[in-house]
Amino acid sequence: MIQHFMSKSKAHVVLDYAQDFIKKKALVLAAVTFITTQVDAQKKPLDHTVYDEWQSIGYSMLSNDGNWVAYQVKTQESDNTLAVFGIPSQKSLEFHRGDQVKFTADSKFAIFNIKPFYKDLKEVRIKKKKEHEIAKDSIGIVNLSTQKVEKLPNLKSFKVPEKEGSFVAYLLHKEEKKDSVKGKDKKAEPKIDGKKDQPLDLVLRNLVSGKKETFKNVVNYDFSDNGKHLVFTTKPEKKDSTDKTKYGVYLINTSTFTKQLIVEGKGDFKQFSFDENGSQIAFVGTREGDKVKSKTYQFYHAKLPLNGQIDSISLNSMPADWVVSEHRKPNFSKSGKNLFIGIAPKPIEKDTTLIAEDHAKVDIWHWNEDYTQPMQLKNLEREKKRSYLAYINPTQPNQFVQLADASMNQIDLVNEGDAPYAIGISDNMYRLSSQWDASGRRDYYMVDIATGKREPIVIGLVGRLVASPSGKYIVYYNRETHLWYSYNPFTKQTVELNKKLKVSFEDEENDMPTEAREYGIAYFTRDDQTVLIKDRYDIWEFDLAGKKKPDNITNGFGRKNNMTFNIQRLNDEIKTLDRQQTIYLTAFDNKTKATGVFKTMIEKSKNPELVTMTNMYAAQNMRKAKDADVYVYSKESVINPADVYVSKDFIQETKVSNLNPQQKDYIWETSELVEWKTYSGKKASGVLYKPENFDENKQYPMIVYFYEKMSDNLHRYQEPAPTRSRLNHSYFVSNGYLVFTPDISYIDGQPGKSAEDYINSGVEHLKKNKWVKGDKIGIQGQSWGGYQVAHLITRTNMYAAAWAGAPVWNMTSAYGGIRWGTGMSRQFQYERTQSRIGKKLWEAKDLYIENSPLFFTPNVNTPVAIMHNDEDGAVPWYQGIEMFMSLRRLGKPAWLLNYNNDDHNLMNRANRNDIQKRQQQFFDHYLKDAPAPKWMTTGVPATLKGVDWGFDYEENPTTNK
């Protein structure tokens, strides 16, 4: 029947069908709602005690054969649960505190960690216990055919082969020893030199045959992907001159469990790597002792099987004062014909004889260095570990070619390392200008892996460049020319792919003073014939040789119906698509926010065939089983949590999880799309959240929460949680508020006025409804939203209360600030991105002043609470101080919350709980006429910090209203 609607020129009929499909579901839902009205009357509002146990999905995954799905149910502050669900049998196995599950490649077993109780781990953090006092993980092993479960304590880690077999290897912590006299626990043996690589027992098991062996004093270990080999390194547990054990690197043949010593001697051997067939091994190692601060590592490589031990390989062509990097794992190309390792300049050893008190500690900022000192210091540890890629021919491993260096430090391998070239990327010429220019300009080169020769592909590109999967073509988008290009690395021919098309392939709604970003590549087709590229709505096929005209594989159906199509990356094994195969497309209706699934065939340019469409946020996080046509995905709505579903066709589906059954006891929110015209005549939209027991004959206070565009969240579920500093709107709606989230579009140079145009007009539109209490409306925003809150209260008195999180109050001072989380200058934000001024401070002083609330402080008559924390890594917290001090100077009611040592968004759970209560009390006071707590009436003096948090109410409070 669906195909009938897919005939030529029936695009709108299909859309009507989809909408009718949705309406029928809505009628059923309305009937259910009517029947349950009396039950809903017994529901209670959410309170702050519900958060800890509220659930969400941590992750989900399918077994390779598609018969099992595993998923984790996370709570906010309690123990998590791992579930393993049998799809054919519909049987679910649940494991309290289960985590980090892995299916064996043959889909016969599931293996997972069992974490200690959450309350015990929390006690460890509170009491700052030492490592030997911390409860250890356990390992769980499930035989999926019998559902028999085995659990073993004291797990350190486990690994399974990625692609074949039913093997598992796991390291076990040592048992705590008992004091034979007093019966008390003795401390475990101390770790060697306090490092994490304490020698432990490694257990190898064949889970099918039951064969098992334990190896002593193991530090590092790894499987080959095909499971044929296990490699590990050993070291002595403690210094003992009488110890005759042979330590070093061992290789295990997993079919026979035979052990072979391939490198003998004490040392540090790690970063083990096998080729895909398990016929070669490579790793790095050193025999230098632990007392050597800057060890020199060697490179090891051998073909398997081995007849004896292997020696390190001398890399003859390596530059002087360069060494093999210990921080990069060697990696083989897919065929095993090429091998790549990391090298780095030899570290400069610090003079340990220097006396710290005799020398200055100073950061020297230089006007012409690539990066500012804060950025250098932030990335210091990463830079110390930086390595540069080099190529090695496995048939002549002592000869190598350096591919990357300081002038071009990034190399992207092509065709999984089997192409004769790699792509080199350099930003060296643009690092200084990145302080104010956020375009991400780069130079791109073809690098011959056999010689290291570099040949430019495109210089100064603002855009994205990738090689096709087999390396026959290089495809890139230039945001300055607005064109997609195909480049043949062998003929050196460049083709402009979309030059003759009138459709835009970049963000049509871009409202920042920078180049619009491309919608991107969806997929390449098999043998690198064509590339699938997205516009705002549809997907186009381009011939990479430029010989055929572009083809809209969705036939313009998306643009005609305001619907956006996409192709999901279903698993890591799918590199290309067949043009003749049926593919599933996810769909998003930009008008109704409905989502669904369609299907089509690349080679046939016709309207996609509707599979399902729903007023939910559906078919998200989609993955496919490696060896079966089984899909796992999530679906959610404003009233339904994001549960896990499985299906073979997206029509017949099974809901696997059942999150938050306790929600039925609470008043929940509903959502509806609101549309209006702004003061300037522009079309605008937003989402209005109402309590499910909404009564149009009552009046409700309203909180307006905003950032940029949020209406796409119409069908998203909002779990109640103590806020990181945004609005916990499910809580407020449950407690009798309306919440409104308007979309905002911006004009360069006028971010503040743009916010006024959209937010205030939307509020005025809603105030026309008798059920909105027009004099009891508050606003709340965080970061960019916090800035807009600050701006609005200097321009209007229409709001009864305001809450600004991490706001910018003064653009003229913030312009020269630092984003301490990254060390970056903030100048790019104003000149090129979110703050949207579009010009330098000294060439547009009027715009910076016009958009700085500071200069309009006398206009403020709205009580405002400010949150700005002293470890804010994005907006310098002195912006919050400037805001508070200027308001305080003029006697305006204002409060500043500084959560000590916390970030831009609150990271500490206790702080989140605290601000949630204060936000509730603040808005309840100004929007519901509730009493004001002490922190608002008299404050909390420093002498009572940590003693009295000021939540209590005074009998005769006095506050400014």
Side-chain angles (χ1 to χ4, degrees):
M1 182 177 71
I2 295 175
Q3 282 186 329
H4 170 74
F5 293 106
M6 290 296 155
S7 59
K8 188 175 180 181
S9 302
K10 298 292 184 180
H12 291 286
V13 177
V14 176
L15 187 62
D16 290 342
Y17 175 85
Q19 291 174 340
D20 184 58
F21 182 74
I22 293 169
K23 286 177 182 177
K24 288 178 180 178
K25 284 192 172 183
L27 289 172
V28 174
L29 180 62
V32 173
T33 303
F34 176 78
I35 293 170
T36 58
T37 299
Q38 290 185 331
V39 177
D40 289 346
Q42 307 302 316
K43 292 184 177 182
K44 54 191 175 183
L46 291 166
D47 60 59
H48 300 312
T49 66
V50 306
Y51 304 135
D52 288 358
E53 300 291 336
W54 217 269
Q55 298 170 332
S56 62
I57 296 296
Y59 54 80
S60 61
M61 65 178 66
L62 287 163
S63 60
N64 286 341
D65 65 2
N67 286 329
W68 295 87
V69 59
Y71 61 92
Q72 184 191 52
V73 178
K74 292 178 61 179
T75 62
Q76 296 180 28
E77 284 281 293
S78 187
D79 294 315
N80 300 329
T81 299
L82 174 69
V84 180
F85 180 84
I87 298 172
S89 68
Q90 301 287 291
K91 183 174 182 180
S92 183
L93 307 172
E94 294 189 355
F95 304 100
H96 191 55
R97 297 175 282 115
D99 195 8
Q100 299 174 353
V101 65
K102 291 274 191 181
F103 288 111
T104 54
D106 58 8
S107 303
K108 293 180 179 179
F109 296 86
I111 305 164
F112 55 92
N113 280 17
I114 304 171
K115 309 298 287 186
F117 286 98
Y118 180 86
K119 62 180 179 60
D120 294 336
L121 293 175
K122 186 173 182 179
E123 184 181 11
V124 166
R125 294 196 302 270
I126 294 171
K127 296 185 177 180
K128 298 181 180 179
K129 291 186 175 182
K130 296 180 180 179
E131 184 168 344
H132 71 271
E133 300 176 295
I134 300 174
K136 304 298 188 295
D137 290 359
S138 298
I139 186 171
I141 302 173
V142 186
N143 185 319
L144 296 175
S145 62
T146 65
Q147 283 83 63
K148 182 180 178 181
V149 181
E150 179 183 5
K151 299 178 182 179
L152 298 167
N154 297 317
L155 177 71
K156 169 80 179 220
S157 66
F158 77 86
K159 294 181 180 180
V160 297
E162 289 290 327
K163 296 186 177 180
E164 294 181 36
S166 277
F167 297 99
V168 63
Y170 47 87
L171 275 178
L172 295 176
H173 289 284
K174 296 184 182 299
E175 296 277 356
E176 295 290 339
K177 296 179 180 179
K178 296 285 185 179
D179 188 311
S180 59
V181 178
K182 299 181 180 180
K184 295 182 178 180
D185 289 347
K186 279 181 139 185
K187 289 186 178 181
E189 293 289 337
K191 296 182 294 178
I192 294 178
D193 294 335
K195 293 184 178 180
K196 63 181 179 181
D197 55 352
Q198 181 186 14
L200 299 172
D201 288 353
L202 177 70
V203 180
L204 171 64
R205 294 175 60 179
N206 183 326
L207 296 174
V208 173
S209 69
K211 192 169 185 179
K212 170 182 172 181
E213 190 162 341
T214 300
F215 307 99
K216 301 289 186 180
N217 298 323
V218 174
V219 179
N220 300 311
Y221 68 106
D222 216 336
F223 277 107
S224 60
D225 283 352
N226 62 9
K228 293 181 179 179
H229 300 287
L230 174 72
V231 63
F232 61 83
T233 181
T234 62
K235 67 188 300 185
E237 185 175 3
K238 55 186 177 180
K239 293 180 180 179
D240 184 354
S241 59
T242 64
D243 186 3
K244 303 301 181 183
T245 305
K246 291 183 178 180
Y247 296 99
V249 180
Y250 285 87
L251 188 68
I252 308 297
N253 183 324
T254 56
S255 62
T256 62
F257 277 42
T258 55
K259 181 174 72 170
Q260 181 180 11
L261 180 63
I262 62 174
V263 176
E264 183 177 356
K266 300 173 185 177
D268 183 22
F269 302 94
K270 56 188 179 182
Q271 305 288 16
F272 297 106
S273 179
F274 294 89
D275 68 358
E276 188 166 271
N277 296 324
S279 59
Q280 298 180 79
I281 186 172
F283 54 94
V284 301
T286 180
R287 297 180 187 274
E288 294 176 341
D290 293 331
K291 291 183 179 180
V292 178
K293 297 298 181 183
S294 297
K295 300 182 183 69
T296 299
Y297 282 78
Q298 286 80 40
F299 169 64
Y300 292 79
H301 169 266
K303 293 184 177 181
L304 304 178
L306 281 167
N307 294 323
Q309 297 187 21
I310 62 176
D311 294 321
S312 62
I313 295 172
S314 176
L315 302 175
N316 298 331
S317 303
M318 190 155 61
D321 296 324
W322 281 62
V323 294
V324 173
S325 173
E326 65 171 302
H327 302 296
R328 186 169 191 143
K329 187 175 184 176
N331 64 295
F332 291 92
S333 66
K334 186 174 180 62
S335 69
K337 294 179 180 179
N338 298 324
L339 176 58
F340 303 90
I341 67 167
I343 62 173
K346 190 173 183 178
I348 300 173
E349 293 192 19
K350 190 175 181 179
D351 187 349
T352 57
T353 65
L354 294 177
I355 300 173
E357 292 183 1
D358 292 344
H359 297 273
K361 295 179 180 178
V362 57
D363 301 328
I364 301 173
W365 298 38
H366 190 280
W367 68 275
N368 203 31
E369 58 189 345
D370 285 352
Y371 300 116
T372 61
Q373 279 289 311
M375 198 168 179
Q376 292 180 52
L377 292 169
K378 190 69 181 179
N379 298 325
L380 183 60
E381 290 306 312
R382 185 187 71 187
E383 289 302 313
K384 286 181 178 179
K385 296 178 180 179
R386 180 181 289 280
S387 65
Y388 300 87
L389 197 68
Y391 163 75
I392 291 177
N393 184 334
T395 62
Q396 296 178 310
N398 62 328
Q399 298 295 321
F400 92 121
V401 178
Q402 183 171 352
L403 303 179
D405 56 27
S407 68
M408 188 182 68
N409 60 30
Q410 183 179 342
I411 296 287
D412 288 350
L413 298 177
V414 178
N415 193 16
E416 300 181 77
D418 276 324
Y421 71 93
I423 293 176
I425 306 169
S426 175
D427 65 349
N428 288 38
M429 297 298 294
Y430 317 107
R431 289 175 180 173
L432 179 59
S433 61
S434 69
Q435 175 176 321
W436 56 86
D437 179 6
S439 64
R441 196 178 299 275
R442 300 285 189 275
D443 298 335
Y444 293 85
Y445 298 84
M446 269 181 55
V447 183
D448 188 316
I449 65 169
T451 66
K453 181 182 177 181
R454 300 172 183 178
E455 182 178 334
I457 303 169
V458 57
I459 302 299
L461 178 67
V462 177
R464 179 171 179 251
L465 181 148
V466 296
S468 59
S470 66
K472 292 180 181 178
Y473 291 92
I474 293 168
V475 179
Y476 60 94
Y477 186 77
N478 189 322
R479 295 173 193 161
E480 294 177 311
T481 65
H482 316 291
L483 291 174
W484 279 100
Y485 297 85
S486 168
Y487 176 77
N488 187 317
F490 306 103
T491 67
K492 316 304 179 189
Q493 181 184 10
T494 300
V495 176
E496 296 174 344
L497 296 176
N498 61 312
K499 185 176 182 179
K500 296 181 180 180
L501 295 178
K502 295 181 180 180
V503 66
S504 172
F505 286 86
E506 61 190 20
D507 185 359
E508 295 181 14
E509 296 183 300
N510 178 48
D511 58 5
M512 293 186 188
T514 191
E515 295 82 5
R517 291 182 174 271
E518 64 281 4
Y519 290 105
I521 293 173
Y523 255 105
F524 288 89
T525 58
R526 188 176 297 279
D527 298 324
D528 292 1
Q529 299 175 50
T530 62
V531 62
L532 305 180
I533 296 177
K534 298 178 286 186
D535 70 19
R536 183 179 178 184
Y537 303 99
D538 292 296
I539 301 172
W540 293 74
E541 183 183 25
F542 292 92
D543 176 37
L544 289 168
K547 295 179 180 179
K548 298 179 182 178
K549 291 182 179 180
D551 186 23
N552 189 323
I553 71 165
T554 48
N555 203 31
F557 182 84
R559 189 169 291 273
K560 291 173 188 174
N561 296 287
N562 199 12
M563 186 176 293
T564 298
F565 289 111
N566 200 1
I567 305 174
Q568 300 296 314
R569 296 273 170 174
L570 296 177
N571 68 49
D572 296 336
E573 299 294 319
I574 302 175
K575 308 294 183 184
T576 60
L577 299 176
D578 285 328
R579 299 186 69 252
Q580 295 79 24
Q581 77 180 91
T582 298
I583 59 172
Y584 286 109
L585 308 173
T586 55
F588 181 81
D589 189 315
N590 294 283
K591 174 69 173 177
T592 67
K593 315 304 179 184
T595 61
V597 176
F598 285 67
K599 61 183 179 180
T600 192
M601 192 177 291
I602 297 172
E603 71 172 3
K604 296 180 180 180
S605 300
K606 63 177 185 177
N607 292 342
E609 182 180 339
L610 174 67
V611 178
T612 182
M613 203 76 182
T614 177
N615 275 328
M616 297 181 75
Y617 193 65
Q620 304 304 308
N621 308 306
M622 189 191 298
R623 300 289 283 175
K624 177 186 173 297
K626 180 182 175 183
D627 302 321
D629 290 332
V630 178
Y631 302 86
V632 61
Y633 50 93
S634 66
K635 281 173 61 174
E636 64 184 283
S637 73
V638 71
I639 60 173
N640 296 302
D643 274 304
V644 177
Y645 290 74
V646 291
S647 178
K648 292 184 177 181
D649 56 11
F650 301 101
I651 298 173
Q652 300 296 323
E653 61 182 15
T654 300
K655 181 183 176 185
V656 175
S657 62
N658 184 31
L659 299 178
N660 301 313
Q662 77 279 15
Q663 182 180 314
K664 69 182 185 302
D665 300 327
Y666 295 96
I667 299 168
W668 206 249
E669 61 186 0
T670 64
S671 63
E672 60 188 65
L673 201 62
V674 179
E675 296 179 329
W676 72 97
K677 286 283 188 70
T678 70
Y679 299 137
S680 61
K682 299 183 182 71
K683 292 182 179 180
S685 61
V687 179
L688 179 65
Y689 297 91
K690 298 175 180 177
E692 61 181 329
N693 59 359
F694 175 80
D695 184 346
E696 64 178 11
N697 295 313
K698 294 182 180 180
Q699 278 199 313
Y700 295 84
M702 183 168 73
I703 301 175
V704 188
Y705 173 73
F706 40 80
Y707 190 76
E708 291 187 352
K709 290 181 173 64
M710 304 180 69
S711 64
D712 285 355
N713 294 329
L714 176 68
H715 301 305
R716 299 296 300 270
Y717 182 80
Q718 174 72 41
E719 66 174 308
T723 178
R724 296 177 63 187
S725 50
R726 57 169 290 171
L727 192 75
N728 177 10
H729 63 68
S730 56
Y731 170 84
F732 281 101
V733 173
S734 183
N735 281 272
Y737 286 88
L738 304 175
V739 170
F740 176 46
T741 61
D743 287 348
I744 309 162
S745 295
Y746 300 89
I747 297 173
D748 289 355
Q750 300 178 25
K753 286 184 179 179
S754 299
E756 294 175 54
D757 191 31
Y758 282 83
I759 298 169
N760 293 350
S761 65
V763 171
E764 293 287 4
H765 173 76
L766 288 175
K767 284 170 64 176
K768 295 175 184 177
N769 297 291
K770 64 181 182 180
W771 33 263
V772 175
K773 193 174 289 189
D775 62 343
K776 295 294 183 181
I777 299 176
I779 52 176
Q780 198 272 338
Q782 160 68 13
S783 190
W784 180 239
Y787 159 72
Q788 293 172 100
V789 168
H791 177 88
L792 290 178
I793 63 175
T794 66
R795 297 307 203 276
T796 180
N797 294 320
M798 65 189 292
Y799 300 111
W803 188 288
V808 166
W809 185 245
N810 179 3
M811 286 193 177
T812 67
S813 60
Y815 174 83
I818 295 289
R819 293 178 65 96
W820 293 106
T822 60
M824 297 175 65
S825 163
R826 291 178 52 82
Q827 291 172 349
F828 75 91
Q829 290 185 231
Y830 299 90
E831 295 186 32
R832 300 281 282 170
T833 62
Q834 189 176 58
S835 297
R836 295 177 169 89
I837 301 300
K839 295 181 179 180
K840 308 178 190 72
L841 172 60
W842 37 88
E843 68 181 13
K845 287 181 284 188
D846 56 335
L847 291 180
Y848 280 85
I849 291 172
E850 171 68 21
N851 289 283
S852 293
L854 169 70
F855 299 101
F856 304 90
T857 306
N859 298 341
V860 176
N861 291 303
T862 306
V864 58
I866 308 156
M867 184 214 74
H868 218 146
N869 308 317
D870 50 24
E871 289 295 326
D872 192 315
V875 179
W877 86 293
Y878 57 70
Q879 287 294 314
I881 296 173
E882 285 193 49
M883 182 175 181
F884 177 78
M885 287 301 184
S886 58
L887 292 167
R888 174 180 163 92
R889 174 66 181 81
L890 295 178
K892 310 286 186 177
W895 296 261
L896 173 61
L897 304 175
N898 167 29
Y899 288 95
N900 302 164
N901 304 312
D902 217 328
D903 207 338
H904 183 64
N905 295 298
L906 291 171
M907 304 305 293
N908 183 285
R909 179 78 176 191
N911 292 341
R912 294 182 188 181
N913 287 326
D914 183 278
I915 199 173
Q916 183 62 71
K917 294 175 186 175
R918 296 188 197 279
Q919 202 172 81
Q920 171 229 319
Q921 290 181 326
F922 178 80
F923 283 124
D924 280 358
H925 175 62
Y926 283 110
L927 305 186
K928 286 187 172 183
D929 295 321
K934 285 197 297 184
W935 71 268
M936 290 177 63
T937 56
T938 60
V940 178
T943 54
L944 293 179
K945 180 178 178 179
V947 178
D948 184 355
W949 279 262
F951 289 121
D952 294 336
Y953 298 95
E954 294 182 335
E955 293 184 6
N956 298 303
T958 300
T959 56
N960 295 305
K961 289 192 177 183

